[in-house]
Amino acid sequence: MHQPHVACIAKGKAHQPFEFGSKVSIATTVKGCWVVGIENFRGNPFDGATLRTAIAGVTSVTGCEVKRAFVDKGYRGRKHHPRGVQVLISGRKNLKPALARKLKRRQSVEPIIGHLKTDHRLRRNFLHGELGDILNAVLAGVGFNFRKLMRAWRDAWVLLVQFVMALVRLFFQNQAAHRLLPGA
């Protein structure tokens, strides 16, 4: 029924207790929610054990060093946290207000996961083998960012067209007013 590398992942939810496939780690930016890292893991590893690999992937893709990671409670356990990275787990109390606001932004990753599953075919993989799993995850992240970029370009073009139309209107109104002046 499944290929040998497919794992059964217990979700613990009433409507969908299990998923079959591989675990995918998604890293996004705090501002803008761009997908900057997506890693596929074989089997069903502990979430915390995937953190070092995910942060290394983000560093290699962006070229920027990760200073803070905002994660959910599945990433508990300091032995899995990378050195030099401040890992803030959701539900933590007594944080500075700025860090508490950023930790609340961690909740914005859940809708991104939902969009990747529904809109970008991450729920079901039609590509063959382990390489297909990796490519499916990466292409879903690229598709998400590309769609977001196209939306931003569309909005920029709409603003540019509106600006040009306003200039044209102003020019023609100015021409009409100039013709109405005596002696023109």
Side-chain angles (χ1 to χ4, degrees), residues 16 24 38 49 56 68 91 151 158 182 184:
Q16 187 178 7
V24 175
I38 193 158
R68 287 190 194 106
R151 209 175 308 123
V158 167

Side-chain angles (χ1 to χ4, degrees), residues 90-134:
S90 64
R92 186 171 164 185
K93 306 289 183 200
N94 301 330
L95 286 174
K96 293 179 181 176
L99 283 179
R101 276 193 305 276
K102 287 182 180 177
L103 188 58
K104 284 184 181 180
R105 292 282 304 147
R106 191 213 62 80
Q107 297 169 0
S108 65
V109 176
E110 297 300 326
I112 292 172
I113 293 169
H115 283 294
L116 286 171
K117 285 185 175 183
T118 58
D119 301 340
H120 300 281
R121 298 186 178 184
L122 196 60
R123 183 175 302 283
R124 179 130 187 227
N125 181 13
F126 293 101
L127 303 176
H128 182 71
E130 290 183 56
L131 181 61
D133 291 346
I134 295 167

Side-chain angles (χ1 to χ4, degrees), residues 5-130:
H5 67 276
V6 174
C8 178
I9 301 169
K11 301 298 286 183
K13 298 177 181 174
H15 66 281
Q16 187 178 7
F18 302 102
E19 283 184 354
F20 295 94
S22 58
K23 190 170 275 196
V24 175
S25 173
I26 298 165
T28 63
T29 59
V30 175
K31 294 181 181 176
C33 290
W34 293 89
V35 175
V36 290
I38 193 158
E39 297 282 334
N40 187 345
F41 296 97
R42 185 175 182 179
N44 186 12
F46 168 63
D47 285 348
T50 65
L51 188 59
R52 281 191 187 135
T53 308
I55 289 177
V58 169
T59 302
S60 69
V61 167
T62 62
C64 298
E65 198 64 36
V66 177
K67 296 176 186 168
R68 287 190 194 106
F70 301 98
V71 298
D72 61 10
K73 291 183 181 180
Y75 289 86
R76 282 180 281 196
R78 287 187 182 270
K79 70 178 184 176
H80 297 293
H81 296 178
R83 295 184 196 277
V85 177
Q86 182 183 13
V87 179
L88 297 167
I89 300 169
S90 64
R92 186 171 164 185
K93 306 289 183 200
N94 301 330
L95 286 174
K96 293 179 181 176
L99 283 179
R101 276 193 305 276
K102 287 182 180 177
L103 188 58
K104 284 184 181 180
R105 292 282 304 147
R106 191 213 62 80
Q107 297 169 0
S108 65
V109 176
E110 297 300 326
I112 292 172
I113 293 169
H115 283 294
L116 286 171
K117 285 185 175 183
T118 58
D119 301 340
H120 300 281
R121 298 186 178 184
L122 196 60
R123 183 175 302 283
R124 179 130 187 227
N125 181 13
F126 293 101
L127 303 176
H128 182 71
E130 290 183 56

